[in-house]
Amino acid sequence: MSVLNQVVGGPPRPGNRLSVARLGAIESWDLTEVWELSGRVAGHLLGLGVRPGDRIGVLAANSLEWVLLDLAALRIKAVTAGFDPGKFDSTGAELASRYGLAVLFTDQDETADRVRPIAELRGLAPAKAELPAVTWEPDEAPALKFTSGSSGPAKSLLASAGSIDNSLAAVQELFAHGPGDDLFVFLPLSLLQQRYWVYSALVFGHDVTISTYEAAFATLRTTRPTVVMGVPGFYETVRAHLQAATARTGASSAEAAIGVFGERIRYLWTGSAPANPATLEYLTDAGLPIFEGYGLNETCIVTKNHPGGHRPGSVGQVLPGKEVLIDAEGVIHVRSERPVATRYEHAEPGESEKMFRPGGIVRTGDVGHLDPDGYLFVHGRADDVIVLENGKKIAVRRIEERLKNHPAIEDCVVTNPSQRQLVAIVSPAGQPADVALIATALREANAALDHDEQLAKAVVAERFTVDNGLLGSQFKPRRKQIEARYRGLVIDPEEGIRA
């Protein structure tokens, strides 16, 4: 039986728990209780007129009710559409209309047709009748997912049950999550992959703890997880905290790591954006082995480093059910045995044709190579390969990673406004920015770079954040927005550091 159908076929074995960790409070439920409560929510949805194939939306922060809605939708063959409140500034009514939702649940103060408070799901009575037995076929879609970091309206696609099954089965084979494990999830549950770990807990018999990005750092030690699912930006913050702690107290990095994560960490998971190799090395040396992977919304997980196969600098070997193809320009394409989707549901004309190719192939837009042992190395975006006026092609990711390794620089984007020289737009690590240290970072980088890769100057920007629009919802720099905002400084003929 597929993983997803094991989820809906429940109930799970007793003894494992779902916890929700907020600042100052942790609540916990046995997974059998979570299963029973999701049945009540499923009955409530049926009472509202939701039927198989209908779409339900969730515009809310991570919570037990978020989990229950998603499981309830699976149990009645409805489609879950998750909206990150930090990314979607539309009202619930606008989202319900735009995406054809039967109903949307929200924790925001809004009353409108088809919009309901998520709080109404608390204290529901048991369903009056048994739920109908359902089976998800591989080509059916239980989730409407949205792309991240889009400069315009978010694109959406319907994610197939087969792609979810393949991903969960492949990850389980590599990492063997099971009794004794507690997976810590703090990214928004609106991201489908974050909900995978709830499905994994129900099927493979482990605990899962749900938190939020804001509460993650404060609740890690209390919850004592064995696995943390995070993005590179979070681990950059962790590294800075550990380094500050060791400098302040004289403790070893391993001792400082226990102070943050507790003593049970088995490994850390990262992906969604390029990770700083120096941070990966630092955390691993501190007793926190961290494994980078690669995937897109349109492909799901494609490659993953893991305890049995890890090559630093790579994003891992290709997972079963996936095939990586590199074209003549070095662009990575992915063929899936069970494609996530074959087109976008909501996108500008021509967008589907740019991404999806016949035969379950997706053109990722990333540039990379496979080594002789099948490890994938990603060099950056095809759009981020800068062509200078002398014809030299420069992959800027390597330069950006070198700069980000300096303690004065939190993040950066390298651009070439004149096509003759490279300029770094810098998000400083501290406030006020230490311009002298940033200048030192430029000099040190230039000493190690080829002539055509060297940086003519840096522009010190404001810190890149989601709130100011310079980071996407998965904390990737929004290159076009950053370049547009600082173009006036970038094209200034004065060389050197500009703040």
Side-chain angles (χ1 to χ4, degrees):
M1 184 185 294
S2 73
V3 175
L4 206 57
N5 284 324
Q6 289 182 70
V7 172
V8 301
R13 295 186 299 272
N16 294 112
R17 304 190 71 79
L18 168 75
S19 301
V20 174
R22 299 184 180 88
L23 291 173
I26 298 176
E27 296 179 277
S28 184
W29 302 263
D30 192 282
L31 289 178
T32 56
E33 184 180 3
V34 172
W35 174 258
E36 195 274 332
L37 291 172
S38 74
R40 298 187 185 193
V41 174
H44 185 63
L45 293 176
L46 291 174
L48 294 175
V50 177
R51 294 296 178 261
D54 286 349
R55 297 175 184 177
I56 68 163
V58 189
L59 177 68
N62 290 357
S63 64
L64 171 66
E65 290 75 25
W66 218 128
V67 173
L68 297 180
L69 273 170
D70 186 51
L71 294 177
L74 287 175
R75 294 181 66 177
I76 62 172
K77 294 201 79 171
V79 180
T80 300
F83 301 95
D84 181 356
K87 181 177 179 182
F88 288 88
D89 55 7
S90 303
T91 65
E94 290 169 338
L95 294 174
S97 176
R98 185 184 308 156
Y99 297 108
L101 307 180
V103 61
L104 179 139
F105 291 88
T106 184
D107 59 4
Q108 301 181 6
D109 186 14
E110 180 181 355
T111 302
D113 184 41
R114 291 187 288 168
V115 178
R116 306 182 72 90
I118 200 168
E120 77 177 33
L121 304 177
R122 300 168 191 163
L124 293 175
K128 295 181 180 179
E130 285 191 18
L131 299 177
V134 303
T135 299
W136 285 96
E137 298 298 331
D139 293 335
E140 294 179 316
L144 183 71
K145 62 192 295 192
F146 299 90
T147 61
S148 62
S150 174
S151 57
K155 298 187 288 288
S156 75
L157 54 86
L158 285 165
S160 72
S163 70
I164 297 172
D165 285 333
N166 279 16
S167 294
L168 279 167
V171 168
Q172 183 63 14
E173 184 177 338
L174 297 180
F175 291 99
H177 300 135
D181 273 324
D182 185 352
L183 277 59
F184 188 86
V185 176
F186 62 86
L187 295 178
L189 291 173
S190 55
L191 301 170
L192 174 59
Q193 188 178 313
Q194 303 311 306
R195 308 199 299 269
Y196 282 10
W197 313 123
V198 176
Y199 309 159
S200 175
L202 290 164
V203 174
F204 302 120
H206 59 77
D207 296 343
V208 60
T209 296
I210 307 293
S211 189
T212 63
Y213 201 96
E214 296 74 20
F217 205 78
T219 57
L220 270 170
R221 186 178 184 184
T222 304
T223 56
R224 298 173 62 245
T226 62
V227 178
V228 177
M229 305 292 180
V231 292
F234 173 75
Y235 294 120
E236 291 294 324
T237 301
V238 168
R239 175 190 174 191
H241 178 88
L242 297 183
Q243 289 174 325
T246 58
R248 183 178 66 254
T249 66
S252 68
S253 59
E255 291 169 331
I258 291 173
V260 172
F261 288 88
E263 74 287 357
R264 298 205 309 145
I265 289 294
R266 184 155 72 89
Y267 76 91
L268 309 177
W269 170 298
T270 192
S272 80
N276 185 338
T279 297
L280 302 181
E281 181 179 7
Y282 180 88
L283 295 175
T284 298
D285 289 345
L288 301 169
I290 181 167
F291 298 106
E292 189 174 11
Y294 174 74
L296 285 73
N297 278 306
E298 296 83 355
T299 64
C300 202
I301 308 167
V302 177
T303 66
K304 189 69 184 174
N305 282 297
H306 57 96
H310 180 212
R311 184 151 297 174
S314 81
V315 290
Q317 292 177 306
V318 182
L319 270 60
K322 303 290 185 184
E323 181 182 6
V324 168
L325 309 167
I326 311 291
D327 71 12
E329 298 297 318
V331 177
I332 300 167
H333 293 64
V334 177
R335 177 187 285 124
S336 299
E337 180 182 305
R338 294 289 185 186
V340 175
T342 57
R343 64 181 177 86
Y344 290 119
E345 289 296 303
H346 303 89
E348 295 296 321
E351 288 295 315
S352 288
E353 291 75 12
K354 290 179 184 177
M355 180 67 71
F356 299 100
R357 306 297 165 86
I361 294 176
V362 169
R363 182 187 187 277
T364 69
D366 291 317
V367 176
H369 77 275
L370 287 164
D371 75 6
D373 296 320
Y375 286 88
L376 180 63
F377 290 76
V378 180
H379 308 312
R381 297 288 297 168
D383 293 343
D384 299 338
V385 174
I386 290 174
V387 182
L388 301 178
E389 63 179 3
N390 63 4
K392 179 75 172 181
K393 293 182 178 179
I394 307 295
V396 299
R397 175 178 168 183
R398 186 171 73 94
I399 303 171
E400 292 167 349
E401 288 178 348
R402 183 178 291 277
L403 288 171
K404 286 159 57 178
N405 197 34
H406 194 281
I409 297 176
E410 180 179 62
D411 213 331
C412 69
V413 163
V414 172
T415 186
N416 70 328
S418 67
Q419 289 192 299
R420 294 191 303 272
Q421 61 186 20
L422 301 181
V423 174
I425 304 174
V426 171
S427 172
Q431 293 293 337
D434 192 325
V435 174
L437 271 181
I438 293 173
T440 298
L442 248 66
R443 289 192 295 271
E444 292 175 352
N446 282 340
L449 294 168
D450 294 339
H451 173 74
D452 287 319
E453 296 177 318
Q454 293 189 359
L455 296 149
K457 67 175 181 177
V459 173
V460 180
E462 61 188 302
R463 185 167 176 261
F464 303 163
T465 68
V466 173
D467 290 341
N468 64 20
L470 300 182
L471 288 182
S473 63
Q474 294 192 23
F475 307 97
K476 301 177 187 177
R478 303 180 74 185
R479 188 173 298 273
K480 291 181 180 178
Q481 286 83 348
I482 292 166
E483 290 176 344
R485 187 170 301 182
Y486 291 95
R487 186 172 301 279
L489 288 176
V490 169
I491 63 175
D492 192 289
E494 182 182 345
E495 302 293 340
I497 302 290
R498 290 294 306 269

